[in-house]
Amino acid sequence: MSSSEAQPPSGGTPIFLLKTRSTPTDAYEQLFSTPQDGLTFEPRFVPVLKHHFESEAIARVRSLLRDRRIGTGIGSSYGGLIFTSQRAVEAFAKLVEDGRDDQGWPHLQDVPVYSVGPATSRALGAISQDHPLQTFGGHTGTGEELGQYILEHYSEWYRDRPEKPSLLFLVGEQRSNSIPRILMDDRLPQNLRIQVDELVVYKTGVMESFMDDFAAVLDATEDRDARWVVVFSPTGCAAMMAALGLLDEGTGMAKAKTSPRRTFIATIGPTTSKYLKSTFRFEPDVCASKPSPEGVWNGIAEYLRR
């Protein structure tokens, strides 16, 4: 069933989540399906992104794991891992599953694994192995916050080492550079600076069906007093803007906002918000303070109170 075919009960404000529904349950669907604070929403998923894993990068991570070059030993290449994307966690989880026949693999129970936000932390926690991963940073909401947290936590983890081992950051093709920038800042004392190596393990594109799927749900809710669109990634912003008729064909920039409006835009965090501003000169109505269902809900609720 396509996203446009899955119609929740009517009665609330439609909110279009431009993402694939998480299984078996989706935290955004659970939160926005429950009326509270006088607000009632109808969550609808409109998948916008397609992902494919980079085989060479995956093979490199597999080699690092098999050779025990990610660990706390002096000869290890990396002393910890960083994840800020569930897709990167999926790639890593597949490696763990593929190596399950190797006793004790992947030998990561002693290294810190950092993640931003509760969703990525939950995904890491769901990886099944004999010795659970030690994950940290789930309380942080942005790359900047996670970077500052790692700076202190990682230094304490390897406090007996004059030079801190490097960190391996598994990323997608599009990502913020805030974490490497913070950890490798030239202004830091040498003993606090942490080398971060980024490895692109997946790339992202726009689904061919997105424009038609999004147009269908927009048409189906044309008579509603208000609608919200939640954007989760810079990828797909151009297609979203075009589908909403917000782009000037001549300049490629956003048209001036008209009043009154019925369709409002919320972003999952500052990276997507900054992308809309810098690329299209478009100011979203809401930027979630934390990349979570609660962060999006609170941002929209605050906007409506104002």
Side-chain angles (χ1 to χ4, degrees):
M1 180 179 290
S2 72
S3 59
S4 59
E5 292 172 335
Q7 302 296 334
S10 60
T13 300
I15 182 165
F16 306 129
L17 305 166
L18 303 191
K19 65 185 287 289
T20 301
R21 181 183 182 276
S22 299
T23 57
T25 60
D26 189 287
Y28 286 89
E29 182 178 40
Q30 289 180 320
L31 180 61
F32 282 93
S33 295
T34 306
Q36 57 180 308
D37 300 331
L39 300 176
T40 304
F41 292 98
E42 297 174 19
R44 309 182 187 205
F45 294 93
V46 189
V48 59
L49 304 180
K50 61 179 180 181
H51 310 280
H52 69 270
F53 295 132
E54 294 292 286
S55 57
E56 290 187 10
I58 298 297
R60 170 157 172 73
V61 179
R62 181 181 293 109
S63 176
L64 288 169
L65 291 169
R66 289 191 186 283
D67 296 341
R68 296 178 179 251
R69 288 161 58 198
I70 302 175
T72 57
I74 297 299
S76 297
S77 301
Y78 299 101
L81 294 164
I82 305 174
F83 295 89
T84 57
S85 159
Q86 292 191 57
R87 300 291 86 75
V89 175
E90 287 177 14
F92 180 74
K94 187 176 187 308
L95 284 174
V96 173
E97 183 65 30
D98 291 347
R100 198 171 294 281
D101 292 338
D102 295 346
Q103 186 176 7
W105 191 84
H107 332 291
L108 294 177
Q109 57 268 25
D110 297 326
V111 305
V113 179
Y114 298 103
S115 66
V116 65
T120 306
S121 297
R122 284 194 298 268
L124 284 166
I127 296 176
S128 176
Q129 55 177 0
D130 293 338
H131 301 283
L133 298 174
Q134 296 198 62
T135 59
F136 305 93
H139 64 284
T140 62
T142 65
E144 286 83 358
E145 291 177 3
L146 180 61
Q148 293 295 339
Y149 174 79
I150 293 173
L151 200 58
E152 179 177 345
H153 185 273
Y154 197 66
S155 295
E156 178 63 21
W157 192 276
Y158 289 103
R159 61 183 178 275
D160 297 331
R161 301 249 192 119
E163 290 189 10
K164 307 296 179 286
S166 300
L167 280 164
L168 182 61
F169 189 6
L170 303 187
V171 298
E173 188 177 22
Q174 295 188 5
R175 74 278 186 187
S176 167
N177 71 341
S178 57
I179 292 176
R181 174 174 49 78
I182 290 170
L183 299 184
M184 297 190 294
D185 193 333
D186 290 338
R187 294 169 295 182
L188 288 171
Q190 184 64 41
N191 65 320
L192 295 180
R193 207 174 303 162
I194 303 169
Q195 174 66 33
V196 179
D197 292 346
E198 295 178 288
L199 186 61
V200 177
V201 294
Y202 72 94
K203 292 185 178 179
T204 304
V206 179
M207 294 181 65
E208 291 84 355
S209 63
F210 170 70
M211 288 290 285
D212 289 339
D213 290 342
F214 195 32
V217 295
L218 289 174
D219 289 343
T221 56
E222 183 63 30
D223 61 341
R224 299 301 185 90
D225 292 335
R227 303 177 294 190
W228 281 88
V229 179
V230 183
V231 192
F232 291 81
S233 167
T235 304
C237 280
M240 180 270 294
M241 295 281 287
L244 289 171
L246 298 177
L247 291 181
D248 184 296
E249 294 184 1
T251 65
M253 297 292 109
K255 298 176 183 177
K257 289 183 179 179
T258 59
S259 183
R261 289 185 299 127
R262 295 186 302 108
T263 303
F264 304 89
I265 310 297
T267 65
I268 187 64
T271 299
T272 303
S273 181
K274 290 175 183 175
Y275 180 83
L276 284 168
K277 294 175 188 176
S278 62
T279 306
F280 305 107
R281 299 176 191 165
F282 180 80
E283 181 80 34
D285 300 291
V286 167
C287 174
S289 60
K290 290 188 178 296
S292 67
E294 293 76 15
V296 175
W297 178 284
N298 292 336
I300 292 175
E302 177 62 26
Y303 179 90
L304 294 174
R305 280 194 293 268
R306 295 199 307 267

